[in-house]
Amino acid sequence: MDVYNFISQYNKILIDRMDDISQSITSGSVSDWEDYKARVGEIQGVAYALDELKALLKKVNYVEDTDST
């Protein structure tokens, strides 16, 4: 697997995870306030990881300055 495919797959995994958590929140499967806070916190963490990945890739000119996420 080359670097580009690795990064693409990792990016897709993170985006899919955020989508899955968001879907679980909006579908009403949250059991209580603590569960809700944990899920929202995970979304924030994954979003941060995506932003950092994008910033690092920009630094090494691996991606253009467009928002494809």
Side-chain angles (χ1 to χ4, degrees), residues 3-38:
V3 173
Y4 179 78
N5 285 335
F6 174 83
I7 292 168
S8 295
Q9 286 184 9
Y10 183 63
N11 192 55
K12 182 179 178 344
I13 288 168
L14 293 177
I15 291 170
D16 288 348
R17 181 63 183 155
M18 282 184 14
D19 290 345
D20 290 346
I21 298 167
S22 296
Q23 181 68 27
S24 72
I25 291 171
T26 58
S27 70
S29 67
V30 176
S31 60
D32 58 20
W33 179 245
E34 293 301 316
D35 185 26
Y36 173 81
K37 290 193 309 184

Side-chain angles (χ1 to χ4, degrees), residues 12 18 21 25 28 32 39-41 43 45 52 57-58 60:
K12 182 179 178 344
M18 282 184 14
I21 298 167
I25 291 171
D32 58 20
R39 292 180 195 210
V40 170
I43 290 172
E52 287 299 311
L57 292 173
K58 281 182 192 176
V60 296

